Amino acid sequence: MSSTEPRHTALDALHRSLGATMTDFAGWDMPLRYGSERDEHLAVRTKAGLFDLSHMGEITVTGPQADRLLNFALVGNIASVGVGRARYTMICRADGGILDDLIVYRLAETEFMVVANASNAQVVLDALTERSAGFDAEVRDDRDAYALIAVQGPESPGILKSLTDADLDGLKYYAGLPGTVAGVPALIARTGYTGEDGFELFVKPEHAVELWQALTKAGEGVGLIPCGLSCRDTLRLEAGMPLYGHELSASLTPFDAGLGRVVKFEKEGDFVGRQALREALENLNHDVPRVLVGLVAEGRRVPRAGYAVVADGQVIGEVTSGAPSPTLGKPIAMAYVDAAHAAPGTAGVGVDTRGSHEPYEVVALPFYKRRK
């Protein structure tokens, strides 16, 4: 098999049997949509959607000093994460640039699972392996050990409850517990990338089809439908969640991205990027760089990543992600703009769309928050 051949998840044949439109994503052949992107998006907002996320990169870190290694390698305080809990964090370069944003699950006292974005999984694996030198801990590539299925949306707790006796009511947001779903052993995590309540189920690849079919059947009566990457993108955009390669990159620090809260200077010991990030924080107090904001279109044209944001004939920023918002009924975008134009309600801001300056309203992120 040539290295240019896309990888296939354990659910590949099933996606094709459902008539999915497939696309190459970070070297994986993934479902973009099954039918209407808008219908899939609205199903997650109002009922439930089923996603194959098996392209995500799982890396297991084990050993007596696993927590100390992760505290050194990542910007968050991973040693303080309780068993059964998860934390959103980042891995940075020595110069403070973001290599990836991650979710880290503490599975046991000396065992952690790091979940990286598909496009960065190898980079993260290499960095963790390199940074493990001198620690009594092992870094293991477990990308082939898991399939990952997500069920997201307001009906997802009910759907899952019908298939498991795990204590879902006691499972907090950003927590995970081992259990059995439809007879399949799974790590059940209450996490997601849609802005809705939902679960991510880590299972062995050989159990993926069985689990997908059981979830499909359990969700039949409440409007669950399969969902592709396209609506995952519009859902996370409405929820103001950053995407690596768009809002996050190696040329930005967590502070540039407005996510400085993930950097924990108070934790014990040194960590990669500490000095550079301390300087980035100090510079932030003197010289505010561009700020990540939300933009809502007044017209119908959809802003795309890379489009210039303008005011008074000057370029004041750049769109990082843009799409029609099914929930708002208007095109929306996230963009980095000069601080002087970042306040919600700032007048006179537009996006250069193929030469014409379309008017936009600057709003605070997120665009959408679910009702608890």
Side-chain angles (χ1 to χ4, degrees):
M1 179 174 139
S2 81
S3 60
T4 53
E5 282 282 312
R7 298 181 68 182
H8 299 278
T9 78
L11 294 161
D12 186 74
L14 196 148
H15 297 316
R16 292 170 198 279
S17 74
L18 292 170
T21 300
M22 305 297 285
T23 189
D24 177 73
F25 185 83
W28 290 82
D29 216 8
M30 299 298 293
L32 186 64
R33 71 181 81 79
Y34 298 84
S36 150
E37 290 165 13
R38 187 173 178 277
D39 288 352
E40 290 172 27
H41 180 109
L42 294 174
V44 176
R45 285 277 177 261
T46 59
K47 299 182 180 82
L50 192 57
F51 296 84
D52 178 10
L53 305 179
S54 303
H55 60 311
M56 300 295 281
E58 295 87 7
I59 300 160
T60 304
V61 181
T62 56
Q65 294 187 321
D67 56 351
R68 287 177 60 184
L69 161 58
L70 289 170
N71 259 18
F72 170 72
L74 312 179
V75 300
N77 189 349
I78 308 305
S80 68
V81 177
V83 172
R85 297 307 302 266
R87 185 155 296 166
Y88 175 78
T89 187
M90 293 184 186
I91 182 166
C92 290
R93 302 191 308 197
D95 67 0
I98 303 165
L99 283 175
D100 201 14
D101 62 334
L102 311 164
I103 296 180
V104 180
Y105 297 88
R106 188 169 204 156
L107 304 180
E109 199 56 43
T110 60
E111 183 180 5
F112 296 81
M113 180 167 68
V114 177
V115 182
N117 285 296
S119 54
N120 296 330
Q122 190 63 48
V123 169
V124 174
L125 179 68
D126 292 346
L128 286 175
T129 303
E130 186 185 317
R131 294 172 190 187
S132 69
F135 290 95
D136 186 3
E138 182 198 341
V139 176
R140 190 172 72 231
D141 180 359
D142 267 348
R143 284 176 288 181
D144 294 335
Y146 292 102
L148 177 56
I149 295 173
V151 54
Q152 297 278 303
E155 297 287 352
S156 57
I159 292 167
L160 209 53
K161 272 181 192 171
S162 72
L163 296 173
T164 184
D165 55 7
D167 178 18
L168 297 187
D169 291 333
L171 187 64
K172 295 184 170 73
Y173 187 50
Y174 266 72
L177 86 170
T180 305
V181 182
V184 169
L187 172 67
I188 305 166
R190 199 165 208 154
T191 44
Y193 194 50
T194 61
E196 298 299 334
D197 191 9
F199 302 87
E200 295 184 326
L201 307 169
F202 296 85
V203 299
K204 286 183 176 173
E206 57 265 33
H207 293 150
V209 170
E210 181 188 344
L211 179 58
W212 180 282
Q213 289 172 336
L215 287 162
T216 299
K217 196 168 188 322
E220 265 171 7
V222 291
L224 172 86
I225 61 170
C227 294
L229 289 176
S230 187
C231 84
R232 183 168 143 92
D233 192 48
T234 52
L235 288 159
R236 70 94 195 164
L237 178 56
E238 286 183 352
M241 294 175 167
L243 175 63
Y244 197 90
H246 290 258
E247 289 72 41
L248 308 175
S249 73
S251 62
L252 295 169
T253 72
F255 295 103
D256 294 327
L259 291 165
R261 64 179 182 276
V262 304
V263 181
K264 303 298 181 190
F265 291 113
E266 70 277 12
K267 66 179 173 174
E268 268 184 57
D270 195 15
F271 63 89
V272 178
R274 179 192 273 272
Q275 188 56 42
L277 289 167
R278 174 66 73 191
E279 287 165 17
L281 176 60
E282 283 163 10
N283 292 340
L284 201 64
N285 297 332
H286 306 300
D287 171 34
V288 179
R290 286 183 167 174
V291 178
L292 189 63
V293 301
L295 299 173
V296 178
E298 292 177 22
R300 308 303 311 165
R301 283 195 169 177
V302 177
R304 297 296 180 195
Y307 284 13
V309 182
V310 292
D312 305 321
Q314 302 293 313
V315 173
I316 58 150
E318 187 177 304
V319 171
T320 52
S321 297
S325 163
T327 306
L328 275 62
K330 299 173 178 179
I332 59 172
M334 285 201 271
Y336 281 106
V337 301
D338 293 345
H341 298 274
T346 301
V349 172
V351 172
D352 187 337
T353 310
R354 298 194 189 93
S356 74
H357 292 184
E358 302 285 322
Y360 277 74
E361 182 191 353
V362 179
V363 299
L365 292 168
F367 299 97
Y368 165 86
K369 259 196 183 125
R370 72 181 171 99
R371 288 192 289 277
K372 298 284 192 232

